[in-house]
Amino acid sequence: MTAFRFGAGDRPGARRHDRGMDLPAPLDWLVDEAGAASGPDRFLAELGGRLLAAGLPLAGGALTLAAPHPIVARRTWLWRAETGAVIEALGFDGSPLDRAGGDWLAELGSVREDMAGPGPDGPVLGWAGTRPFSPGEAGRLRQAARFGAAPLAALAARSTLTALLEAYLGRRSAARVQAGSLRRGGGETIRAALLYADLRDFTALSEATEPAAMIAALDAWFDRAAGAVHAFGGEVLKFIGDGLLAIFPVTGSPANACEAALRAVVAARAGMTHLDAGRQAQGLPPLPFGAALHLGEMLWGNIGAVDRLDFTAIGPAVNLVSRLEGLCRPLGQSVLISGAVAAETTMPLMPLGEHKLRGIAEPCTVFTLPDA
């Protein structure tokens, strides 16, 4: 295996390429168009396809970028020349970037050529051949690596920004911000199933618990609640102290969004039951919580001060689901469901009658899960 690393002169801004040069098709694409690729997956597929069309005997390729994410250390895209398909693999350990995807490339062909980026965390681009590369073919891959340094650096920067935004805003909100939704007061009205949940007796628990243990308990709670939301296609908009607000946007039938929200609540309860069993075995108190579901319209967009914005949701539906969750303790229930959600689901529910909610003009018909 031969490894090639980008030199300082190959980095963005180090030198200009003469656009009037008669370049081979793959290099011409790298100079003029690659920087605008929609993502690392398209970059890899486009470059691999063009190198293949130019006569290089490629079996596949791999592109790895570092990911500044709470749990993902790197993202690797794998391209198969035979089908043109690209799949993504996530890395969660600290193994070197220039080894990511190496085993997969080795399975595809007899020879692997790596073109690693500048520094240990730079982009890594590797190719596998259907046969050993000739010296001339290896030289052409080196040349493609040099021309690819600038667009790869731009892709890596965009990927880093995307990972950070998704970690703090969620995938849908991050996509909106990156698409240019930056104006204060700008947003859109969407219909969604809303989930609001928070822990019970959190204040008393925090006063009797060491800060580090309290943070660990909150993380464990959010892992299960947010994990359940994401598993069923929802998005956590905000963590509010020991609570969270999540949405399941209506993209087709409202019933689908409501069913997804209900299943997320059931999954969160199962996860917390397992967590509480472990905590009690350690002599720790359980973490009871309340949750409410509602279906309605809300304004989703930028709200805040001139120089500090929050991408979030507001509106009567958000107010109602928050007030409904406040009824969990008085009614002795861990899950409350509005009549709007109940009307869209075939899941068996138990009626609890109509109840007046603070700040809400009309009484709310309330249901719960039979075993809640």
Side-chain angles (χ1 to χ4, degrees):
M1 180 184 74
T2 304
F4 306 104
R5 291 192 173 272
F6 298 127
D10 301 313
R11 295 171 188 162
R15 68 185 181 204
R16 291 183 179 179
H17 295 295
D18 181 3
R19 298 298 180 100
M21 292 171 60
D22 184 16
L23 296 174
L27 304 186
D28 185 66
W29 177 79
L30 284 170
V31 169
D32 292 330
E33 302 177 50
S38 59
D41 55 339
R42 294 313 311 155
F43 174 91
L44 180 62
E46 285 282 344
L47 179 56
R50 291 170 187 274
L51 291 172
L52 191 66
L56 283 165
L58 298 181
L63 172 62
T64 298
L65 302 178
H69 189 275
I71 60 173
V72 178
R74 64 180 183 273
R75 301 173 69 188
T76 299
W77 291 266
L78 308 172
W79 169 75
R80 186 182 290 273
E82 183 179 3
T83 62
V86 178
I87 61 173
E88 183 180 356
L90 301 179
F92 300 95
D93 57 38
S95 61
L97 283 177
D98 58 3
R99 297 181 62 181
D103 292 341
W104 186 82
L105 288 177
E107 293 176 3
L108 285 180
S110 56
V111 173
R112 174 182 162 211
E113 298 282 359
D114 281 349
M115 283 134 284
D121 295 327
V124 178
L125 179 63
W127 303 104
T130 57
R131 57 168 174 75
F133 295 115
S134 69
E137 290 165 344
R140 291 166 65 188
L141 288 176
R142 291 189 189 95
Q143 190 178 42
R146 292 195 295 271
F147 276 77
L152 267 179
L155 278 173
R158 291 209 303 269
S159 180
T160 295
L161 177 61
T162 297
L164 289 173
L165 286 174
E166 288 182 357
Y168 283 91
L169 297 179
R171 178 163 293 186
R172 290 183 180 88
S173 297
R176 290 291 308 281
V177 171
Q178 284 192 286
S181 296
L182 305 176
R183 187 182 300 275
R184 183 172 64 159
E188 64 174 328
T189 299
I190 65 171
R191 196 175 186 208
L194 295 91
L195 165 63
Y196 185 84
D198 72 354
L199 292 178
R200 290 283 170 262
D201 303 318
F202 174 74
T203 301
L205 181 63
S206 62
E207 290 178 351
T209 307
E210 290 293 327
M214 195 66 254
I215 290 174
L218 280 175
D219 287 344
W221 147 241
F222 286 136
D223 276 344
R224 284 148 184 83
V229 168
H230 296 152
F232 289 94
E235 177 174 344
V236 174
L237 288 186
K238 187 179 293 295
F239 294 110
I240 310 164
D242 62 320
L244 64 83
L245 173 65
I247 60 171
F248 298 79
V250 175
T251 56
S253 166
N256 292 337
C258 292
E259 292 283 347
L262 283 163
R263 286 184 167 85
V265 168
V266 171
R269 289 176 61 210
M272 290 304 291
T273 297
H274 185 268
L275 174 65
D276 284 343
R279 286 177 59 84
Q280 289 175 327
Q282 301 173 49
L284 299 173
L287 299 174
F289 73 96
L293 295 174
H294 180 51
L295 173 68
E297 292 187 343
M298 61 186 184
L299 177 65
W300 185 38
N302 285 299
I303 299 160
V306 173
D307 58 350
R308 176 62 172 87
L309 299 175
D310 190 11
F311 205 89
T312 188
I314 61 171
V318 179
N319 296 335
L320 191 148
V321 75
S322 174
R323 298 291 188 261
L324 182 59
E325 192 277 330
L327 273 184
C328 285
R329 186 191 298 274
L331 296 182
Q333 302 291 337
S334 62
V335 178
L336 294 180
I337 301 156
S338 74
V341 172
E344 297 290 347
T345 181
T346 59
M347 185 177 293
L349 301 176
M350 185 173 73
L352 298 176
E354 288 191 345
H355 294 269
K356 180 72 175 175
L357 302 178
R358 182 168 59 89
I360 307 296
E362 297 295 328
C364 179
T365 305
V366 181
F367 296 80
T368 189
L369 297 172
D371 60 345

